[in-house]
Amino acid sequence: MPSYTRVALVTGANKGIGFAIARDLCRQFPGDVVLTARDVERGRAAVQQLQAEGLSPRFHQLDIDDLQSIRVLRAFLRREYGGLNVLVNNAGIAFKIDDPTPFDIQAEMTLKTNFFATRNVCSELLPIVKPHGRVVNVSSLQGSKALENCSEDLQEKFRCKTLTEEDLVELMKKFVEDTKNEVHEREGWPNSAYGVSKLGVTVLSRILAQRLDEKRQADRILLNACCPGWVKTDMVGAHGSRTVEEGAETPVYLALLPPDATGPHGQLVRDKVVQTW
């Protein structure tokens, strides 16, 4: 077996929290850090910025909305590294509060990227995560808030420990359908597409962690969702109370859990503390 360099990968890493996570991993991770971005120019500019700070990330293009793009990245990781040690799923979108785009379009687009595309990245890359690997899905407490604002029936479904990935996908599709038919409130959904998308990510993380326990327990891979907090980014604007560096702390903590760690796993973590939701 050839001995490969260890590798950590961050999606949506050309700016904001993703960029701060990539920077911290460049400083702390014992191996290569691959910074990915949808836009090649912006991604390369981010790499140059880190190089100017004396760091040496690699760049690879990734549009998480494009399955082929994910598969090209997977082939690169297999070829260069024989797999993947750390995956941070940070890429995501959010509409501004005052955006005039109709709510059903916002719902469709937000879930397409934040839930369905993130799920595709997990489906394609989890099989190549190596033993003692770490997977971090950047979620949000907006997801927990969305859960609280769901009907009791929906809350029960999302909290159910036997909910399958297929069940979750159907629920996410139903939300989008219900917004199109203008019945989402009547059907028990909250008015936040971003919140529902991140609720999906948090629940997906629990389901994927359970599957890792069933299929690959000996590999001791730890997979968690995390909330970076209300961070000053393009997404939130200046209303955020935290810097991007502060927002990166918990994702980086989870990405760098030591090899002998047995948890957290399948949890939602904020400020390095497991949240009950």
Side-chain angles (χ1 to χ4, degrees), residues 194-244:
Y194 182 76
V196 171
S197 76
K198 291 301 191 179
L199 170 58
V201 169
T202 301
V203 177
L204 179 67
S205 302
R206 185 188 74 208
I207 292 168
L208 294 176
Q210 284 170 344
R211 189 179 306 147
L212 284 169
D213 286 345
E214 289 161 16
K215 302 266 172 73
R216 298 182 62 183
Q217 193 166 18
D219 288 344
R220 295 174 68 171
I221 295 164
L222 298 179
L223 183 154
N224 291 286
C226 70
C227 169
W230 200 239
V231 177
K232 295 183 185 79
T233 61
D234 285 359
M235 204 181 263
V236 172
H239 305 298
S241 57
R242 297 183 172 197
T243 63
V244 288

